[in-house]
Amino acid sequence: MDADRAERLTAELRARGVMAHLVHAGVYEFGIRVVLDDRIEALWDMDGAAGLDAEIVNEGALIGFVPHVPGSEEFTEEQMVNTIATTNYALDTLQRPADRASSTGTSARPPEEPPPATPPALRRQRRAHWIRRGRR
C-alpha cells in the first residue's frame, strides 16, 4: 500500500470513529494500525501482498489473523474502509497462527517433552561429595 492511499484510508477510518494510525513498516511499505485494546492491535496490509488481510498482535506477539478478504484486490477505498471498520475482531473468530500453519500444509511441531529430572538422591550425593571434599 502506498503512503498517500494509507493516509486517505486512515483519515476515513478516523472519521468513522475507528482508532486508526498510519504505519511505516519499511522502505515504501505502509499499512494501517487499528487499536483494538490497550495492548492489542490489528495491522492491515503491511506485507505488500495484493488485497486486504491483517495480523492481530498483542504487545508485538502474533495472536491471530484476519484471513485474506476475497476480492479485495479490486476494492475501492470506500469498500476497504468499510471492511476494516466492520471487521469482527473477537479472538474466538480469528484464525490462530497454529490454524494457519496447519492450513498451509506444514504441521506445527508437537511440544517437546521436558528433560528427565535427576533423581533427588543423586543430587544429594553429588552435593555431599563436594562438601566433604571442601573440608579436607
Side-chain angles (χ1 to χ4, degrees), residues 50-90:
L52 280 177
D53 58 0
E55 297 176 351
I56 310 301
V57 294
N58 183 359
E59 293 185 352
L62 182 66
I63 60 171
F65 295 97
V66 174
H68 176 76
V69 179
S72 60
E73 299 85 9
E74 305 298 323
F75 277 7
T76 64
E77 288 185 5
E78 183 178 331
Q79 289 172 316
M80 286 183 162
V81 168
N82 190 38
T83 301
I84 293 171
T86 60
T87 297
N88 182 5
Y89 294 103

Side-chain angles (χ1 to χ4, degrees), residues 40-129:
I40 300 175
E41 304 171 335
L43 304 174
W44 284 91
D45 197 24
M46 304 219 344
D47 57 0
L52 280 177
D53 58 0
E55 297 176 351
I56 310 301
V57 294
N58 183 359
E59 293 185 352
L62 182 66
I63 60 171
F65 295 97
V66 174
H68 176 76
V69 179
S72 60
E73 299 85 9
E74 305 298 323
F75 277 7
T76 64
E77 288 185 5
E78 183 178 331
Q79 289 172 316
M80 286 183 162
V81 168
N82 190 38
T83 301
I84 293 171
T86 60
T87 297
N88 182 5
Y89 294 103
L91 292 177
D92 57 338
T93 63
L94 296 174
Q95 186 174 2
R96 304 272 190 237
D99 296 342
R100 176 165 278 195
S102 63
S103 68
T104 58
T106 60
S107 61
R109 293 186 349 200
E112 295 180 15
E113 294 182 20
T118 307
L122 293 177
R123 281 196 307 243
R124 271 188 254 123
Q125 286 176 355
R126 276 193 233 133
R127 189 172 57 229
H129 170 76

Side-chain angles (χ1 to χ4, degrees), residues 8-22 81:
R8 287 191 305 269
L9 293 173
T10 302
E12 286 295 320
L13 286 165
R14 285 185 175 191
R16 293 181 93 180
V18 176
M19 292 180 57
H21 306 281
L22 179 68
V81 168

